[in-house]
């Protein structure tokens, strides 16, 4: 669980207490909360802020009164809690009053550092009292941090006033916190009082009855509780507070208005209620004390009896402790593993059997003494105090020494065990790993030396995968080689005795490793070369196949029949050429790649270079041939296109020329400059357009001339069109040039007049400015005038070019305009005024510059003299002081003076320069300038001289004072060191003396070296000062002589002390190293024990890095620790002196601290890792919240657009936004998943992480829902805007047509018929567009049905459209009626004449015998015929209209006119009817011609299709490997499916041919024989194609079976090759366990080998099947199967041989293990035999001799057994060495026995 400091209570309580506010505002609309600045959220924030401020104010007032109530005891008081505690003084006094202890005196001073130090003292005292202060530092209190200051006071209140509160209840089973105990106490005291229900420390006290009830409970005489009313809360609170203050003396910490609120402050109430508790508890304690007086006398007698018991028991216990300590401090530890284990067992027996009763006895003594003292105190007697040496503290100290001795004894025993085992185990592990690595490396070297890559791409790819697996295996093995090297390095660092052999074997392993990597890299290069070659050959085959397909398409002879057809063919050809160009890169790539395999420089060649070169040359020739075919076809298509393009382009240019000639006919040149420029710009745009069109026109003419020169069929027409266009263009050029000349002359004249007017106005304005005589009265005003003058001069210079341009303009005008008075007389006047302006400007500039320089010089000179005067006054009054402090102050002032003088010197140089310039001019104030300059220079030189004199005197005095000060300091320093050395003369006789001496002389040698360096520097300084100050030379040298005498005395004392120490120097060095190591250990433990929790990700990373550096530092100190432990064991071994025992305890504590440091590091590392994960999660959360915030902002600020384009853009933008959301969804999901993982991993901040993850997930879900809802709204709006735009377009169209319908200009009869026809077309257009209105109406109704909320807008639009349409129809009908009524007869005559002309033209077209020469021309004729039919339908309506008109005319007018009208009407009707049959007949003829041409086209396409597929069906390429064969099978299957899908089309062609009508045959009768031949050719080719594909499929299936067999065989060979490597491995087991593992592993391999026999059997069956079916590659298959069988049989033989070797190795390791056990037994007995302990007396000798004698006889027995067993099994040097060791042990035993007998006279 995370720890919450008291400073965090405020935010938690506010959040808890105002949940009602949050719940209330949760009811608000969700959209209001989406807005970050909504009124609800702003009110909530302001309300919470106000409540927090109110809570803080109440706490401040309460805590201030509480602090003053305690500070009043020492007559102190604070006014402001935040400011008065900042210096730390009052805080220290407060803690002294509360704790009753004396704290360190506060530091004097009011600086920040003093305040920080005082506050640190107070905080350190609280930490010593085990008060946890989290996230609080001294700087927070000094800076007046309100929240942390209140938190500190609350922590103090909890510790000293509330923490000790406890309540006795009937069942004290559950331990309650202080707060709960205080609440329980209040509940107990207020139980039974009406309207009082205390269940918290906030609202339960608001009415004041609880306070009154507590006071009434203890003092019913001071309060009348029954008179109090709950409704009068203010009176109740005031009454309780006043009564407690006046009657009980309790400080009034609260006011009624602080409690009578909605949510009182809990801390303030707890603080005040705690004062009630302490007061009444103390009152109860006083009553209890009276009862104890009667028991005092009874206790007195009993106490005397108990004193005697205590004396005897204490003496016995202390005697036992001292004896046990002596025994435990014995460091004569055994030098063998079993003996050390026996000693450790004896030690554990002591702990479990002997020590516990004594511990109980010690506890009884403490209870006895406490009972005695308690009874004496109760009896008012002098308290019994045991005499010195038998105090409880003495017993505890002795017991602590006993426990320390125990701990050190245990650590010594365990370290001895570890030391005996470490190095041999490490060496054995190295040998075992080195042998395994050497075997593995040798086997893999043999493996990578083989080059069995295969001859096709599949085999090479398989070899590549196998090689990659080998590389991966070898790469992973690098860590194991590094492990061997690391073990060897560790042995080398530990100085292992056989380190040379270890290093030699390590070097051998590394050499084998490097050689293996070189072999692996070389094999990779060869393998890559083979793979690249196979890929190159496969790519060449695919390119050749593709070029064969393209060649057939490029040999087509179809060049197109018209422009559109040619364009289509060219576009298709462009695609083909693009494919060819794209393939060129592939061809070049293949050729470039092939150079690698044909080059002589290549050392390794995977195949013959000639073979690769031949294939590359064949590929190049095929590609060149393909390029030539493509160029030839493009030429044919380009020629066909040029003719059609030329005629169209010249027609366009001729129309444009005629249009522009009409525009250039106008003669307007403009009335002013603006209009003339406008006309000129339009003409320039026209010239640009001509220039732009001239190039294309020339290109078109050139193309036509080329066609003429080439003798094209359209050459005469091309020549005539070119001549006409050239003539038109020449006339247009001439007209354009004339128009341009006129416009330019007009623009030039108008421009000149405008520029001249502007120039005259500017000159007059500027003359007025430069004529002023004002030069300013000071520097600032003169600068302003000078700046304005510079601007005027720049403007004058810029206008010179404008005047010159006026002259140029006048010269460029035509003579008519140039000689006019408006031009000729204006330029001289402008020139005269301009020269006058230049002269006035120059004179004014000189006057201003002179005045400005003079003012600046006076100002700068005055400032410099003022500064010099101030500094001269200071230097004149300065006296060189004699004290060093005063000299340093003066020196600092001189250091600041030097840069000021340098700055002033620069300024004086500038003044002199300006003065010389003024004197060189004709200035009127030369004398005053001279005077000012001389005065300034003289004063400056005098000041420099004075400053140098003062500075030299100051430096001289300062050097002497510093010298004397250093002499005194070093002399005092040396005397102190002498005293330190002399004080150690009484030390050094024992270990205690050495330890004291070590503490005294720590760093003495370094200090002496530093003093020697200081003396050398002082000698040089003394010589220098004596030369500079001869008058003080004697005093300087005398002071130096005194220092030399003290230095000699110090050296002599040090030398004498070193001589007297002797052997203690070594111990001193050890103790110094021990102190340094313990100091480092303490610092490191402090650093590791830090409780700092990172608050940011960089801080977490920094802390983790620091923590890792601590681990590295600890690892680096490991060697020092082991050396120190070894030296310590050597120093303390066999020592029984108390100081040596203390040193052993220090070493024991060192061991404990070392191991505790590692444990602390692990715990801290786990905590920091969790904190790092938490901070990383918070960083990701912040990013995710940024995404969500931006999403919420976009979703809340998206508006509905008011146009269709805006709606489309809004949807697109929203879709992009959704894409962005989807992109960020993965990140957000990742954050949530990361949070859940941290929660599952039980991170310390799981609650916060879960809360953040849930919040992000909920917000993300809401954003997705809101985004989908917004997208739906945007789509609805798009439909609405689309509907509104359609309505608007229809409205515009109706308005446009309304203008046409309202045109009534039909009074003239000449064009009456054309107008009537136009109006008929207009009415037809209206009728056809009526569907438009109906469509919009349907869309609107559907929109209203789907979206009822859009009904008002849609309905209004539909009603407006309907009314406008009705109005348009009415207007159109009215116009038609009026048009018909006006001049009916003329209209009828014109209509008949127009129809008659059209019918004659149509009749001529129907008599044409052109039915098309190909399919394209027939289609064109059909389209024209369909247009004629459509025109017939329209004209039919006109004929019917003529009939109605004729009827109307006959009714109006009777007579001859009626006969003429009827005759015209019948003639037109008859002519129209006669054309119906020819029209239908021509349609049938065109359809028949189209059908014949279409059949011919289909027939040719199918024949071409069959020819294109035939090369694929007849191909003999059957693939070189399994993948290529499978690819070819897929291609052939695709071709078969394509043929099956194409069969219906072939059948349709044959059926269509049989079903063609005789009329169709007559159209193209001459081609029938050719068609029959082509049909027969198609049938034969189709049958051949089907047969060839079937045969190719059968051949490919056989090839696939063979390639599958080859692939399976290759895989089998590869597998058996891998197993063969394992079988041939020379790896040898180093011990019995590894040998057993290798045997089991080999058994697994043998089982796998047996299982693989099934695979070999399947391969054999497959090969026999193919040989039985007489496969084309039977011989190769049979040979390959024989190789596989042979390889499998050899592999089984290798497996049997390896099994035998492994079993033999297993027996050998078992024998080795038995030998090792024997060696261990010998080593254990050698320790006993080689012991120099001969015993102290006869009994000791007897006890020591018994195990020795038994070991001797056991040794004889084992020697005999071991010699016999090894004689029959092994006869190597190892066995001989064991035998020699046994003999030596026997000799040692005999010698030791004689010595024992002689010593004890046995």
């Amino acid at each position: 669980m995370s720890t919450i400091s008291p400073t965090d209570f405020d935010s938690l309580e506010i959040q808890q207490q105002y949940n009602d506010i949050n719940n209330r505002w949760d009811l608000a609309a969700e959209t209001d909360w989406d807005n970050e600045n909504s009124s609800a959220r702003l009110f909530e924030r302001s309300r919470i802020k106000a409540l927090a401020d109110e809570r803080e104010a109440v706490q401040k007032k309460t805590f201030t009164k509480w602090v003053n109530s305690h500070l009043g005891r020492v007559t102190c008081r604070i006014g402001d809690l935040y400011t008065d505690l900042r210096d730390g003084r009052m805080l220290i006094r407060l803690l002294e009053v509360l704790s009753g202890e004396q704290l360190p005196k506060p530091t004097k001073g009011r600086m920040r550092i003093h305040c920080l130090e005082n506050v640190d003292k107070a905080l350190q005292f609280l930490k010593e009292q085990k008060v946890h202060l989290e996230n609080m530092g001294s700087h927070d209190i000094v800076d007046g941090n309100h929240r942390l200051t209140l938190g500190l006071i609350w922590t103090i209140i909890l510790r000293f006033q509330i923490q000790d509160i406890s309540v006795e209840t009937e069942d004290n089973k559950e331990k309650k916190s202080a707060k709960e105990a205080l609440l329980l106490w209040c509940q107990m005291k207020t139980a039974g009082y009406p309207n009082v229900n205390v269940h918290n420390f906030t609202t339960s006290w608001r009415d004041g009855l609880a306070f009154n009830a507590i006071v009434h409970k203890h003092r019913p005489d001071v309060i009348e509780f029954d008179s109090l009313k709950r409704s009068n809360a203010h009176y109740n609170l005031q009454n309780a507070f006043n009564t407690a203050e006046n009657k009980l003396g309790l400080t009034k910490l609260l006011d009624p208005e602080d409690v009578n609120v909605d949510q009182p402050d809990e801390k303030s109430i707890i603080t005040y209620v705690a004062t009630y508790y302490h007061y009444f508890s103390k009152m109860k304690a006083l009553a209890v004390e009276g009862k104890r007086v009667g028991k005092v006398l009874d206790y007195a007698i009993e106490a005397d009896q108990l004193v005697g018991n205590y004396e005897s028991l204490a003496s016995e216990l202390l005697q036992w402790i001292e004896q046990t300590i002596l025994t435990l401090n014995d460091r004569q530890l055994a030098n063998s593993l079993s003996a050390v284990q026996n000693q450790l067992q004896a030690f554990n027996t002591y702990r479990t059997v002997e020590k516990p009763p004594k511990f109980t006895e010690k506890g009884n003594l403490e209870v006895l003494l406490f009972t005695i003292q308690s009874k004496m105190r109760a009896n008012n007697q002098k308290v019994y105090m045991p005499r010195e040496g038998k105090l409880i503290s003495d017993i505890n100290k002795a017991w602590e020494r006993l426990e320390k001795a125990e701990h050190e004894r245990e650590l010594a025993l365990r370290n001895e065990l570890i030391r005996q085992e470490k190095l041999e185990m490490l060496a054995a592990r190295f040998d075992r790993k080195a042998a395994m690595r050497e075997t593995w490396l040798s086997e893999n070297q043999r493996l990578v030396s083989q080059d069995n890559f295969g001859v096709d791409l599949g085999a090479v790819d398989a070899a590549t995968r196998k090689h990659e697996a080998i590389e991966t295996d070898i790469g992973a093995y690098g860590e194991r080689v590094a492990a061997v090297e690391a073990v060897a390095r560790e042995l080398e660092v530990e100085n292992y005795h056989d380190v040379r052999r270890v290093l030699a074997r390590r070097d051998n392993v590394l050499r084998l490793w490097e050689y293996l990597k070189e072999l692996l890299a070389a094999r990779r290069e060869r393998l890559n070369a083979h793979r690249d070659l196979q890929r190159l050959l496969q790519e060449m085959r695919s390119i050749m196949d593709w070029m064969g397909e393209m060649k057939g398409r490029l040999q087509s002879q179809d060049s197109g029949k018209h422009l559109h057809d040619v364009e289509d063919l060219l576009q298709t050809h462009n695609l083909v050429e693009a494919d060819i160009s794209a393939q060129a890169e592939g061809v070049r790539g293949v050729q470039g790649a092939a150079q690698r395999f044909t080059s002589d420089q290549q050392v390794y060649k995977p195949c013959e270079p000639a073979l690769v070169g031949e294939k590359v040359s064949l590929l190049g020739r095929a590609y060149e041939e393909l390029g030539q075919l493509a160029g030839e076809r493009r030429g044919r298509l380009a020629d066909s296109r040029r003719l059609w393009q030329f005629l169209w382009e010249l027609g366009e240019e001729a129309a444009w020329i005629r249009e522009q000639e009409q525009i250039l006919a106008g003669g307007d040149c403009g009335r002013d400059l603006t209009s003339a420029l406008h006309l000129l710009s339009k003409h320039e745009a026209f010239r640009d357009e001509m220039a732009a069109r001239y190039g294309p026109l020339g290109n078109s003419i050139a193309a036509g001339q080329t066609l003429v020169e080439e003798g094209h069929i359209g050459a005469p027409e091309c020549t005539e069109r070119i001549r006409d266009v050239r003539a038109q263009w020449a006339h247009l050029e001439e007209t354009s040039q004339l128009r341009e000349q006129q416009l330019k002359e007009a623009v030039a004249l108008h421009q000149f007049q405008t520029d001249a007017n502007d120039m005259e106005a500017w000159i007059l304005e500027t003359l007025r400015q430069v004529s002023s005589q004002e030069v300013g009265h000071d520097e600032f005003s003169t600068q302003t005038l000078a700046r304005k003058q510079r601007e005027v001069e720049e403007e004058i210079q810029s206008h010179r070019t404008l005047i010159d341009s006026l002259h140029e303009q006048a010269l460029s005008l035509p003579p008519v305009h140039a000689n006019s008075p408006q031009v000729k007389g204006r330029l001289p006047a402008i020139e005269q005024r301009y020269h006058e302006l230049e002269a006035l400007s120059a004179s004014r500039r000189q006057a201003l510059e002179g005045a400005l320089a003079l003012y600046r010089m006076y100002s700068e000179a005055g400032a410099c003299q003022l500064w010099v005067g101030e500094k001269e006054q200071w230097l004149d009054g300065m006296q060189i002081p004699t004290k060093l402090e005063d000299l340093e102050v003066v020196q600092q002032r001189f250091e600041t003076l030097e840069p000021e003088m340098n700055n002033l010197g620069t300024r004086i140089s500038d003044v002199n320069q300006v003065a010389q310039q003024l004197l060189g001019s004709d200035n009127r104030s030369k004398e005053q300038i001279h005077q000012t300059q001389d005065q300034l220079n003289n004063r400056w030189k005098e000041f420099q001289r004075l400053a140098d004199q003062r500075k030299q005197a100051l430096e001289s005095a300062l050097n002497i004072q510093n010298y004397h000060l250093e002499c005194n300091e070093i002399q005092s320093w040396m005397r102190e060191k002498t005293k330190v050395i002399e004080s150690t003369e009484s030390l050094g006789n024992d270990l205690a003396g050495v330890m004291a001496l070590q503490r005294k002389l720590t760093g003495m040698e370094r200090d002496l070296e530093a003093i020697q360096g200081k003396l050398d520097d002082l000698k040089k300084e003394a010589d220098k000062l004596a030369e500079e100050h001869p008058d003080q030379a004697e005093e300087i040298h005398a002071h130096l002589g005194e220092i030399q005498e003290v230095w000699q005395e110090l050296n002599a004392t040090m030398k004498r002390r070193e001589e007297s120490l002797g052997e203690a120097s070594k111990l001193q060095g050890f103790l110094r190293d021990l102190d340094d190591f313990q100091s480092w250990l303490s610092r490191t433990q402090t650093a590791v024990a830090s409780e700092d929790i990172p608050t940011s990700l960089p801080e977490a990373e920094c802390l983790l890095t620091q923590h890792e550096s601590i681990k590295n530092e600890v690892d680096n100190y490991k060697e020092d620790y082991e050396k120190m432990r070894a030296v310590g064991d050597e120093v303390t071994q066999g020592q029984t002196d108390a100081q040596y025992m203390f040193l052993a305890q220090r070493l024991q504590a060192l061991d404990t601290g070392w191991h505790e440091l590692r444990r602390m590091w692990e715990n801290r590392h786990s905590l920091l890792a969790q904190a790092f994960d938490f901070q990383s999660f918070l960083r990701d959360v912040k990013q995710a919240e940024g995404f969500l915030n931006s999403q919420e902002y976009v979703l809340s600020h998206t508006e509905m657009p008011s146009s269709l384009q805006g709606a489309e853009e809004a949807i697109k933008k929203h879709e992009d936004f959704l894409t962005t959301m989807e992109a960020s969804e993965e990140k957000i999901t990742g954050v949530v998943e990361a949070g859940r993982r941290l929660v599952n991993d039980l991170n310390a901040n799981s609650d916060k992480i879960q809360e953040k993850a849930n919040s992000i997930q909920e917000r993300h879900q809401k954003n997705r829902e809101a985004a989908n809802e917004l997208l739906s709204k945007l789509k609805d709006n798009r439909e609405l805007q689309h509907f509104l735009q359609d309505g608007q377009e229809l409205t515009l169209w109706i308005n446009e047509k309304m203008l046409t319908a309202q045109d009534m200009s039909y009074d003239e009869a000449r064009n009456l018929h054309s107008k009537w026809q136009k109006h008929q077309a207009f009415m037809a257009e209206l009728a056809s567009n009526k569907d438009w209105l109906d469509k919009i109406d349907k869309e609107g109704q559907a929109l209203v049905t789907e979206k009822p909320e859009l009904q008002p807008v849609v309905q209004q639009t539909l009603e407006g459209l309907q009314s406008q349409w009705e109005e348009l129809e009415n207007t159109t009908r009215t116009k038609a009626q009026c048009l018909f009524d006006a001049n009916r007869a003329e209209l009828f005559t014109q209509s008949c004449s127009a129809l008659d002309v059209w019918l004659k033209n149509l009749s001529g077209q129907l008599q044409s015998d052109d039915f098309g020469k190909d399919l394209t021309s027939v289609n064109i004729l059909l389209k024209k015929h369909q247009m004629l039919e459509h025109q017939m339908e329209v004209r039919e309506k006109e004929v019917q209209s003529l009939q109605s008109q004729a009827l109307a005319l006959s009714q109006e007018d009777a007579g001859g006119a009626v006969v003429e009208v009827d005759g015209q009407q019948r003639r037109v009707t008859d002519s129209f009817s006669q054309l119906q049959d020819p029209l239908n007949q021509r349609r049938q003829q065109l359809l028949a011609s189209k059908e014949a041409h279409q059949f011919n086209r289909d027939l040719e396409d199918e024949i071409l299709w069959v020819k294109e597929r035939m090369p694929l069906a007849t191909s003999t390429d059957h693939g070189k490997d399994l993948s290529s064969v499978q690819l070819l099978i897929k291609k052939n299957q695709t071709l078969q499916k394509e043929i099956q899908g194409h069969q219906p089309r072939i059948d349709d062609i044959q059926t269509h041919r049989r079903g063609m009508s005789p009329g169709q045959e007559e159209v193209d009768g001459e081609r029938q024989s050719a068609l029959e031949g082509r049909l027969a050719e198609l049938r034969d080719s189709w049958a051949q194609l089907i047969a060839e594909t079937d045969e190719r499929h059968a051949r490919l299936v056989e090839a696939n079976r063979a390639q599958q067999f080859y692939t399976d065989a290759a895989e089998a060979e590869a597998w058996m090759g891998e197993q063969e490597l394992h079988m041939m491995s020379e790896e040898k087991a180093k011990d019995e366990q590894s040998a057993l593992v290798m045997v089991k592993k080999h058994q697994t391999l043998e089982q796998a080998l047996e299982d693989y026999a099934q695979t070999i059997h399947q391969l054999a069956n497959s090969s026999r099947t193919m040989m039985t079916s007489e496969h084309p590659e039977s011989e190769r298959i049979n040979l390959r199967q024989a190789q596989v069988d042979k390889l499998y049989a050899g592999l089984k033989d290798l497996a049997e041989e390896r099994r035998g070797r492994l079993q033999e190795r297993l027996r050998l390791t078992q024998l080795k293990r038995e030998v090792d056990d024997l060696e261990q037994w010998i080593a254990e007995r050698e320790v006993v035999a080689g012991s120099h302990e001969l015993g102290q007396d006869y009994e000791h000798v007897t006890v020591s001799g018994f195990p020795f004698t038994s070991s001797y006889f056991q040794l004889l027995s084992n020697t005999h057994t071991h010699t016999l067993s090894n004689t029959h099994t092994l006869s190597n040097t190892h066995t001989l060495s064991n035998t020699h060791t046994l003999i030596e042990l026997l000799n040692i035993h005999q010698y030791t026995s004689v010595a024992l007998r002689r010593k004890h006279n046995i």
Side-chain angles (χ1 to χ4, degrees), residues 439 443 446-447 1615-1627 1638-1650 1652 1687-1702:
T439 303
E443 292 176 356
R446 185 181 62 81
L447 174 63
W1615 184 85
M1616 288 187 287
E1618 293 176 0
Q1619 302 305 317
E1620 183 180 2
L1621 292 177
H1622 292 291
M1623 300 301 177
M1624 297 174 65
S1625 174
E1626 298 296 333
E1627 182 181 1
M1638 293 180 67
V1639 169
K1640 292 181 180 178
K1641 185 177 180 180
H1642 184 73
Q1643 291 175 354
T1644 305
L1645 291 177
E1646 286 184 326
Q1647 184 61 41
L1649 188 61
E1650 293 295 334
Y1652 208 75
L1687 184 59
Y1688 182 72
L1691 184 61
K1692 294 189 70 175
D1693 295 338
L1694 288 175
E1696 293 177 358
E1697 294 177 3
R1698 178 171 171 79
R1699 183 173 68 253
R1701 293 198 304 270
L1702 290 177

Side-chain angles (χ1 to χ4, degrees), residues 724-790:
D724 294 341
V725 170
R726 281 179 173 174
Q728 292 177 3
W729 186 265
H731 183 264
L732 182 63
E733 282 280 357
E734 182 180 354
T735 306
S736 174
Q737 291 176 0
L738 179 62
R739 175 67 173 171
E740 182 178 3
Q741 181 66 27
Q742 294 174 355
L743 290 174
K744 286 183 178 179
E745 291 178 356
V747 168
L749 177 62
H750 293 306
Q751 184 66 51
F752 175 80
Q753 293 175 351
T754 303
D755 293 344
N757 294 335
D758 295 341
M759 182 59 66
E760 288 176 350
W762 174 81
I763 290 176
L764 292 177
E765 177 64 24
T766 309
L767 280 174
R768 183 184 60 78
Q769 295 180 13
V770 300
S771 300
S772 174
Q773 300 298 323
E774 177 65 28
V775 294
H777 56 280
D778 55 11
E779 183 180 358
F780 179 74
S781 60
T782 306
Q783 285 180 346
T784 303
L785 293 175
R787 184 171 61 254
K788 293 182 179 179
Q789 178 61 26
R790 285 195 298 271

Side-chain angles (χ1 to χ4, degrees), residues 1306-1315 1382-1383 1386-1387 1390:
Y1306 47 81
D1307 296 334
E1308 300 178 1
R1310 48 186 177 141
N1311 294 325
L1312 195 58
H1313 178 68
S1314 62
K1315 290 182 179 181
N1383 302 317
E1386 186 64 26
L1387 177 61
Q1390 292 180 3

Side-chain angles (χ1 to χ4, degrees), residues 307-326:
V307 169
N309 295 334
Y310 175 80
E311 292 284 346
S312 61
L313 292 174
S315 300
E316 294 175 359
L317 181 60
L318 287 172
Q319 184 180 2
W320 177 83
I321 290 174
E322 295 299 331
Q323 292 177 353
T324 308
I325 289 175
L326 291 176

Side-chain angles (χ1 to χ4, degrees), residues 102-116:
Q102 187 69 27
L103 271 71
K105 292 184 179 181
T107 306
K108 296 181 179 180
R110 295 292 181 180
M111 298 177 63
R112 176 179 175 84
I113 186 63
H114 301 143
C115 299
L116 290 172

